[in-house]
mmCIF file of all heavy atoms in Angstrom:
data_model
loop_
_atom_site.group_PDB
_atom_site.id
_atom_site.type_symbol
_atom_site.label_atom_id
_atom_site.label_comp_id
_atom_site.label_asym_id
_atom_site.label_seq_id
_atom_site.Cartn_x
_atom_site.Cartn_y
_atom_site.Cartn_z
ATOM 1 N N ARG A 56 3.223 -9.722 4.522
ATOM 2 C CA ARG A 56 3.085 -9.526 5.967
ATOM 3 C C ARG A 56 2.418 -10.778 6.524
ATOM 4 O O ARG A 56 1.225 -11.003 6.320
ATOM 5 C CB ARG A 56 2.215 -8.297 6.273
ATOM 6 C CG ARG A 56 2.747 -6.991 5.697
ATOM 7 C CD ARG A 56 3.977 -6.514 6.470
ATOM 8 N NE ARG A 56 4.366 -5.171 6.063
ATOM 9 C CZ ARG A 56 5.189 -4.917 5.053
ATOM 10 N NH1 ARG A 56 5.694 -5.926 4.346
ATOM 11 N NH2 ARG A 56 5.515 -3.679 4.751
ATOM 12 N N LEU A 57 3.201 -11.628 7.199
ATOM 13 C CA LEU A 57 2.659 -12.838 7.783
ATOM 14 C C LEU A 57 2.980 -12.879 9.274
ATOM 15 O O LEU A 57 4.068 -12.475 9.702
ATOM 16 C CB LEU A 57 3.238 -14.086 7.102
ATOM 17 C CG LEU A 57 2.780 -14.372 5.663
ATOM 18 C CD1 LEU A 57 3.444 -15.633 5.142
ATOM 19 C CD2 LEU A 57 1.267 -14.493 5.582
ATOM 20 N N LYS A 58 2.026 -13.385 10.030
ATOM 21 C CA LYS A 58 2.204 -13.484 11.470
ATOM 22 C C LYS A 58 3.416 -14.374 11.789
ATOM 23 O O LYS A 58 3.562 -15.466 11.229
ATOM 24 C CB LYS A 58 0.946 -14.069 12.102
ATOM 25 C CG LYS A 58 0.940 -14.023 13.622
ATOM 26 C CD LYS A 58 -0.392 -14.504 14.165
ATOM 27 C CE LYS A 58 -0.413 -14.427 15.678
ATOM 28 N NZ LYS A 58 -1.706 -14.905 16.238
ATOM 29 N N GLY A 59 4.266 -13.894 12.691
ATOM 30 C CA GLY A 59 5.440 -14.655 13.096
ATOM 31 C C GLY A 59 6.703 -14.280 12.355
ATOM 32 O O GLY A 59 7.792 -14.788 12.653
ATOM 33 N N PHE A 60 6.578 -13.388 11.345
ATOM 34 C CA PHE A 60 7.750 -12.962 10.571
ATOM 35 C C PHE A 60 7.781 -11.447 10.513
ATOM 36 O O PHE A 60 6.730 -10.792 10.486
ATOM 37 C CB PHE A 60 7.692 -13.519 9.139
ATOM 38 C CG PHE A 60 7.711 -15.019 9.065
ATOM 39 C CD1 PHE A 60 6.515 -15.735 8.965
ATOM 40 C CD2 PHE A 60 8.908 -15.719 9.112
ATOM 41 C CE1 PHE A 60 6.519 -17.116 8.896
ATOM 42 C CE2 PHE A 60 8.916 -17.109 9.042
ATOM 43 C CZ PHE A 60 7.721 -17.808 8.938
ATOM 44 N N ARG A 61 9.000 -10.910 10.478
ATOM 45 C CA ARG A 61 9.132 -9.469 10.310
ATOM 46 C C ARG A 61 8.689 -9.085 8.903
ATOM 47 O O ARG A 61 8.856 -9.875 7.962
ATOM 48 C CB ARG A 61 10.586 -9.037 10.534
ATOM 49 C CG ARG A 61 10.996 -9.052 12.017
ATOM 50 C CD ARG A 61 12.422 -8.549 12.178
ATOM 51 N NE ARG A 61 13.367 -9.440 11.518
ATOM 52 C CZ ARG A 61 14.556 -9.048 11.045
ATOM 53 N NH1 ARG A 61 14.909 -7.774 11.128
ATOM 54 N NH2 ARG A 61 15.365 -9.910 10.492
ATOM 55 N N PRO A 62 8.114 -7.866 8.751
ATOM 56 C CA PRO A 62 7.658 -7.438 7.424
ATOM 57 C C PRO A 62 8.772 -7.566 6.376
ATOM 58 O O PRO A 62 9.887 -7.093 6.580
ATOM 59 C CB PRO A 62 7.274 -5.971 7.637
ATOM 60 C CG PRO A 62 6.925 -5.889 9.086
ATOM 61 C CD PRO A 62 7.855 -6.851 9.788
ATOM 62 N N GLY A 63 8.432 -8.234 5.262
ATOM 63 C CA GLY A 63 9.379 -8.378 4.163
ATOM 64 C C GLY A 63 10.424 -9.439 4.375
ATOM 65 O O GLY A 63 11.303 -9.640 3.517
ATOM 66 N N LYS A 64 10.364 -10.189 5.496
ATOM 67 C CA LYS A 64 11.389 -11.193 5.803
ATOM 68 C C LYS A 64 10.827 -12.614 5.810
ATOM 69 O O LYS A 64 11.419 -13.507 6.408
ATOM 70 C CB LYS A 64 12.016 -10.879 7.169
ATOM 71 C CG LYS A 64 12.702 -9.519 7.236
ATOM 72 C CD LYS A 64 13.866 -9.432 6.262
ATOM 73 C CE LYS A 64 14.573 -8.084 6.385
ATOM 74 N NZ LYS A 64 15.711 -7.973 5.435
ATOM 75 N N VAL A 65 9.713 -12.833 5.148
ATOM 76 C CA VAL A 65 9.143 -14.177 5.074
ATOM 77 C C VAL A 65 10.041 -15.034 4.180
ATOM 78 O O VAL A 65 10.329 -14.673 3.039
ATOM 79 C CB VAL A 65 7.719 -14.141 4.502
ATOM 80 C CG1 VAL A 65 7.124 -15.541 4.492
ATOM 81 C CG2 VAL A 65 6.841 -13.180 5.286
ATOM 82 N N PRO A 66 10.531 -16.191 4.651
ATOM 83 C CA PRO A 66 11.402 -17.042 3.844
ATOM 84 C C PRO A 66 10.704 -17.528 2.581
ATOM 85 O O PRO A 66 9.492 -17.801 2.592
ATOM 86 C CB PRO A 66 11.722 -18.217 4.775
ATOM 87 C CG PRO A 66 11.442 -17.708 6.144
ATOM 88 C CD PRO A 66 10.325 -16.733 6.007
ATOM 89 N N ALA A 67 11.468 -17.636 1.488
ATOM 90 C CA ALA A 67 10.900 -18.090 0.223
ATOM 91 C C ALA A 67 10.259 -19.458 0.366
ATOM 92 O O ALA A 67 9.199 -19.739 -0.209
ATOM 93 C CB ALA A 67 11.987 -18.119 -0.856
ATOM 94 N N ALA A 68 10.896 -20.343 1.151
ATOM 95 C CA ALA A 68 10.354 -21.694 1.333
ATOM 96 C C ALA A 68 8.969 -21.650 1.972
ATOM 97 O O ALA A 68 8.079 -22.430 1.624
ATOM 98 C CB ALA A 68 11.312 -22.520 2.195
ATOM 99 N N HIS A 69 8.764 -20.717 2.905
ATOM 100 C CA HIS A 69 7.465 -20.610 3.564
ATOM 101 C C HIS A 69 6.414 -20.051 2.602
ATOM 102 O O HIS A 69 5.255 -20.505 2.609
ATOM 103 C CB HIS A 69 7.580 -19.700 4.796
ATOM 104 C CG HIS A 69 6.364 -19.732 5.669
ATOM 105 N ND1 HIS A 69 6.045 -20.807 6.464
ATOM 106 C CD2 HIS A 69 5.363 -18.815 5.846
ATOM 107 C CE1 HIS A 69 4.919 -20.561 7.110
ATOM 108 N NE2 HIS A 69 4.482 -19.353 6.748
ATOM 109 N N VAL A 70 6.815 -19.096 1.779
ATOM 110 C CA VAL A 70 5.899 -18.544 0.768
ATOM 111 C C VAL A 70 5.459 -19.647 -0.187
ATOM 112 O O VAL A 70 4.275 -19.765 -0.538
ATOM 113 C CB VAL A 70 6.556 -17.389 -0.007
ATOM 114 C CG1 VAL A 70 5.614 -16.880 -1.101
ATOM 115 C CG2 VAL A 70 6.942 -16.255 0.924
ATOM 116 N N LYS A 71 6.434 -20.482 -0.608
ATOM 117 C CA LYS A 71 6.100 -21.580 -1.525
ATOM 118 C C LYS A 71 5.127 -22.560 -0.879
ATOM 119 O O LYS A 71 4.176 -23.034 -1.505
ATOM 120 C CB LYS A 71 7.374 -22.308 -1.952
ATOM 121 C CG LYS A 71 8.288 -21.498 -2.846
ATOM 122 C CD LYS A 71 9.548 -22.278 -3.181
ATOM 123 C CE LYS A 71 10.520 -21.424 -4.011
ATOM 124 N NZ LYS A 71 11.768 -22.152 -4.332
ATOM 125 N N LYS A 72 5.374 -22.850 0.396
ATOM 126 C CA LYS A 72 4.521 -23.796 1.100
ATOM 127 C C LYS A 72 3.098 -23.272 1.230
ATOM 128 O O LYS A 72 2.117 -24.012 1.054
ATOM 129 C CB LYS A 72 5.114 -24.081 2.477
ATOM 130 C CG LYS A 72 4.302 -25.078 3.298
ATOM 131 C CD LYS A 72 4.946 -25.299 4.665
ATOM 132 C CE LYS A 72 4.098 -26.251 5.512
ATOM 133 N NZ LYS A 72 4.682 -26.462 6.855
ATOM 134 N N MET A 73 2.972 -21.984 1.544
ATOM 135 C CA MET A 73 1.663 -21.394 1.801
ATOM 136 C C MET A 73 0.900 -21.058 0.510
ATOM 137 O O MET A 73 -0.307 -21.271 0.407
ATOM 138 C CB MET A 73 1.826 -20.123 2.638
ATOM 139 C CG MET A 73 2.398 -20.346 4.030
ATOM 140 S SD MET A 73 1.213 -21.159 5.127
ATOM 141 C CE MET A 73 -0.023 -19.875 5.307
ATOM 142 N N PHE A 74 1.609 -20.506 -0.480
ATOM 143 C CA PHE A 74 0.933 -19.939 -1.661
ATOM 144 C C PHE A 74 1.470 -20.461 -2.984
ATOM 145 O O PHE A 74 1.137 -19.944 -4.047
ATOM 146 C CB PHE A 74 1.060 -18.404 -1.651
ATOM 147 C CG PHE A 74 0.671 -17.761 -0.358
ATOM 148 C CD1 PHE A 74 1.630 -17.247 0.506
ATOM 149 C CD2 PHE A 74 -0.662 -17.682 0.011
ATOM 150 C CE1 PHE A 74 1.271 -16.649 1.703
ATOM 151 C CE2 PHE A 74 -1.034 -17.081 1.206
ATOM 152 C CZ PHE A 74 -0.066 -16.574 2.065
ATOM 153 N N GLY A 75 2.328 -21.506 -2.924
ATOM 154 C CA GLY A 75 3.013 -21.963 -4.133
ATOM 155 C C GLY A 75 2.107 -22.297 -5.292
ATOM 156 O O GLY A 75 2.335 -21.882 -6.426
ATOM 157 N N LYS A 76 1.033 -23.057 -5.011
ATOM 158 C CA LYS A 76 0.167 -23.509 -6.100
ATOM 159 C C LYS A 76 -0.537 -22.333 -6.785
ATOM 160 O O LYS A 76 -0.617 -22.280 -8.017
ATOM 161 C CB LYS A 76 -0.878 -24.475 -5.553
ATOM 162 C CG LYS A 76 -1.469 -25.410 -6.590
ATOM 163 C CD LYS A 76 -1.230 -26.853 -6.193
ATOM 164 C CE LYS A 76 -1.768 -27.809 -7.229
ATOM 165 N NZ LYS A 76 -1.467 -29.211 -6.904
ATOM 166 N N SER A 77 -1.038 -21.386 -5.993
ATOM 167 C CA SER A 77 -1.746 -20.253 -6.594
ATOM 168 C C SER A 77 -0.778 -19.355 -7.355
ATOM 169 O O SER A 77 -1.108 -18.822 -8.422
ATOM 170 C CB SER A 77 -2.495 -19.454 -5.527
ATOM 171 O OG SER A 77 -1.611 -18.877 -4.599
ATOM 172 N N ILE A 78 0.452 -19.193 -6.823
ATOM 173 C CA ILE A 78 1.451 -18.366 -7.519
ATOM 174 C C ILE A 78 1.848 -19.030 -8.829
ATOM 175 O O ILE A 78 1.944 -18.370 -9.877
ATOM 176 C CB ILE A 78 2.682 -18.126 -6.629
ATOM 177 C CG1 ILE A 78 2.290 -17.270 -5.414
ATOM 178 C CG2 ILE A 78 3.801 -17.443 -7.418
ATOM 179 C CD1 ILE A 78 3.388 -17.110 -4.388
ATOM 180 N N MET A 79 2.053 -20.361 -8.799
ATOM 181 C CA MET A 79 2.400 -21.063 -10.040
ATOM 182 C C MET A 79 1.244 -20.959 -11.041
ATOM 183 O O MET A 79 1.467 -20.859 -12.255
ATOM 184 C CB MET A 79 2.716 -22.524 -9.746
ATOM 185 C CG MET A 79 3.085 -23.326 -10.997
ATOM 186 S SD MET A 79 4.535 -22.655 -11.898
ATOM 187 C CE MET A 79 5.845 -23.593 -11.090
ATOM 188 N N GLY A 80 0.001 -20.964 -10.547
ATOM 189 C CA GLY A 80 -1.143 -20.782 -11.439
ATOM 190 C C GLY A 80 -1.073 -19.455 -12.178
ATOM 191 O O GLY A 80 -1.339 -19.383 -13.384
ATOM 192 N N GLU A 81 -0.705 -18.383 -11.462
ATOM 193 C CA GLU A 81 -0.545 -17.077 -12.098
ATOM 194 C C GLU A 81 0.586 -17.102 -13.115
ATOM 195 O O GLU A 81 0.488 -16.510 -14.187
ATOM 196 C CB GLU A 81 -0.273 -16.017 -11.028
ATOM 197 C CG GLU A 81 -1.425 -15.768 -10.074
ATOM 198 C CD GLU A 81 -1.066 -14.772 -8.987
ATOM 199 O OE1 GLU A 81 -0.031 -14.091 -9.141
ATOM 200 O OE2 GLU A 81 -1.798 -14.675 -7.984
ATOM 201 N N VAL A 82 1.678 -17.798 -12.765
ATOM 202 C CA VAL A 82 2.827 -17.895 -13.670
ATOM 203 C C VAL A 82 2.433 -18.626 -14.951
ATOM 204 O O VAL A 82 2.773 -18.190 -16.064
ATOM 205 C CB VAL A 82 3.992 -18.641 -12.974
ATOM 206 C CG1 VAL A 82 5.074 -19.024 -13.987
ATOM 207 C CG2 VAL A 82 4.588 -17.775 -11.870
ATOM 208 N N VAL A 83 1.689 -19.731 -14.819
ATOM 209 C CA VAL A 83 1.266 -20.508 -15.991
ATOM 210 C C VAL A 83 0.328 -19.680 -16.872
ATOM 211 O O VAL A 83 0.458 -19.656 -18.098
ATOM 212 C CB VAL A 83 0.582 -21.814 -15.541
ATOM 213 C CG1 VAL A 83 -0.109 -22.503 -16.725
ATOM 214 C CG2 VAL A 83 1.602 -22.757 -14.912
ATOM 215 N N GLU A 84 -0.608 -18.988 -16.226
ATOM 216 C CA GLU A 84 -1.551 -18.151 -16.985
ATOM 217 C C GLU A 84 -0.811 -17.075 -17.773
ATOM 218 O O GLU A 84 -1.089 -16.842 -18.956
ATOM 219 C CB GLU A 84 -2.554 -17.517 -16.027
ATOM 220 C CG GLU A 84 -3.644 -16.720 -16.730
ATOM 221 C CD GLU A 84 -4.659 -16.135 -15.774
ATOM 222 O OE1 GLU A 84 -4.659 -16.530 -14.592
ATOM 223 O OE2 GLU A 84 -5.446 -15.276 -16.203
ATOM 224 N N ALA A 85 0.158 -16.422 -17.119
ATOM 225 C CA ALA A 85 0.943 -15.385 -17.804
ATOM 226 C C ALA A 85 1.775 -15.984 -18.926
ATOM 227 O O ALA A 85 1.911 -15.395 -20.003
ATOM 228 C CB ALA A 85 1.836 -14.668 -16.796
ATOM 229 N N ALA A 86 2.339 -17.185 -18.685
ATOM 230 C CA ALA A 86 3.169 -17.834 -19.706
ATOM 231 C C ALA A 86 2.341 -18.203 -20.934
ATOM 232 O O ALA A 86 2.804 -18.052 -22.079
ATOM 233 C CB ALA A 86 3.829 -19.087 -19.121
ATOM 234 N N MET A 87 1.118 -18.682 -20.723
ATOM 235 C CA MET A 87 0.241 -19.017 -21.850
ATOM 236 C C MET A 87 -0.106 -17.766 -22.649
ATOM 237 O O MET A 87 -0.084 -17.775 -23.887
ATOM 238 C CB MET A 87 -1.037 -19.689 -21.343
ATOM 239 C CG MET A 87 -0.844 -21.098 -20.829
ATOM 240 S SD MET A 87 -2.403 -21.894 -20.364
ATOM 241 C CE MET A 87 -3.172 -22.119 -21.973
ATOM 242 N N LYS A 88 -0.418 -16.697 -21.954
ATOM 243 C CA LYS A 88 -0.772 -15.448 -22.632
ATOM 244 C C LYS A 88 0.410 -14.914 -23.440
ATOM 245 O O LYS A 88 0.278 -14.590 -24.623
ATOM 246 C CB LYS A 88 -1.222 -14.409 -21.602
ATOM 247 C CG LYS A 88 -1.683 -13.077 -22.190
ATOM 248 C CD LYS A 88 -2.206 -12.168 -21.092
ATOM 249 C CE LYS A 88 -2.776 -10.867 -21.660
ATOM 250 N NZ LYS A 88 -1.771 -10.038 -22.325
ATOM 251 N N GLU A 89 1.585 -14.857 -22.809
ATOM 252 C CA GLU A 89 2.766 -14.313 -23.495
ATOM 253 C C GLU A 89 3.193 -15.186 -24.666
ATOM 254 O O GLU A 89 3.512 -14.679 -25.753
ATOM 255 C CB GLU A 89 3.925 -14.181 -22.499
ATOM 256 C CG GLU A 89 3.696 -13.103 -21.441
ATOM 257 C CD GLU A 89 4.766 -13.136 -20.353
ATOM 258 O OE1 GLU A 89 5.846 -13.732 -20.611
ATOM 259 O OE2 GLU A 89 4.522 -12.599 -19.258
ATOM 260 N N SER A 90 3.212 -16.523 -24.453
ATOM 261 C CA SER A 90 3.676 -17.413 -25.520
ATOM 262 C C SER A 90 2.706 -17.439 -26.696
ATOM 263 O O SER A 90 3.130 -17.510 -27.857
ATOM 264 C CB SER A 90 3.900 -18.830 -24.981
ATOM 265 O OG SER A 90 2.742 -19.321 -24.341
ATOM 266 N N SER A 91 1.396 -17.350 -26.418
ATOM 267 C CA SER A 91 0.431 -17.325 -27.518
ATOM 268 C C SER A 91 0.549 -16.024 -28.307
ATOM 269 O O SER A 91 0.491 -16.023 -29.548
ATOM 270 C CB SER A 91 -0.991 -17.507 -26.986
ATOM 271 O OG SER A 91 -1.342 -16.471 -26.089
ATOM 272 N N GLU A 92 0.731 -14.905 -27.597
ATOM 273 C CA GLU A 92 0.911 -13.615 -28.279
ATOM 274 C C GLU A 92 2.190 -13.614 -29.103
ATOM 275 O O GLU A 92 2.225 -13.086 -30.220
ATOM 276 C CB GLU A 92 0.918 -12.480 -27.258
ATOM 277 C CG GLU A 92 -0.438 -12.219 -26.620
ATOM 278 C CD GLU A 92 -0.386 -11.180 -25.522
ATOM 279 O OE1 GLU A 92 0.748 -10.779 -25.143
ATOM 280 O OE2 GLU A 92 -1.459 -10.765 -25.031
ATOM 281 N N LYS A 93 3.243 -14.231 -28.569
ATOM 282 C CA LYS A 93 4.528 -14.279 -29.293
ATOM 283 C C LYS A 93 4.408 -15.147 -30.537
ATOM 284 O O LYS A 93 4.935 -14.816 -31.609
ATOM 285 C CB LYS A 93 5.630 -14.823 -28.390
ATOM 286 C CG LYS A 93 7.030 -14.780 -29.021
ATOM 287 C CD LYS A 93 8.092 -15.218 -28.034
ATOM 288 C CE LYS A 93 9.493 -15.007 -28.608
ATOM 289 N NZ LYS A 93 9.699 -15.643 -29.917
ATOM 290 N N ALA A 94 3.672 -16.271 -30.416
ATOM 291 C CA ALA A 94 3.480 -17.153 -31.572
ATOM 292 C C ALA A 94 2.779 -16.423 -32.705
ATOM 293 O O ALA A 94 3.162 -16.541 -33.878
ATOM 294 C CB ALA A 94 2.686 -18.383 -31.151
#
């Protein structure tokens, strides 16, 4: 829910611009956990 956009209609490009780094941080953390457990 972001100001200026209808609920659920925020463009992916805008999400990446606003929150990309923190989302990628979560992805990296999950990837490290999963890959270490798999190893």
Side-chain angles (χ1 to χ4, degrees):
R56 301 287 189 272
L57 289 180
K58 189 175 181 180
F60 298 96
R61 286 183 296 153
K64 299 298 182 180
V65 183
H69 190 73
V70 177
K71 291 178 184 179
K72 181 181 177 181
M73 296 289 292
F74 310 106
K76 203 121 182 176
S77 64
I78 294 173
M79 180 59 91
E81 294 176 14
V82 167
V83 169
E84 185 178 348
M87 288 185 69
K88 183 176 184 296
E89 291 172 19
S90 55
S91 61
E92 290 175 351
K93 186 175 187 306

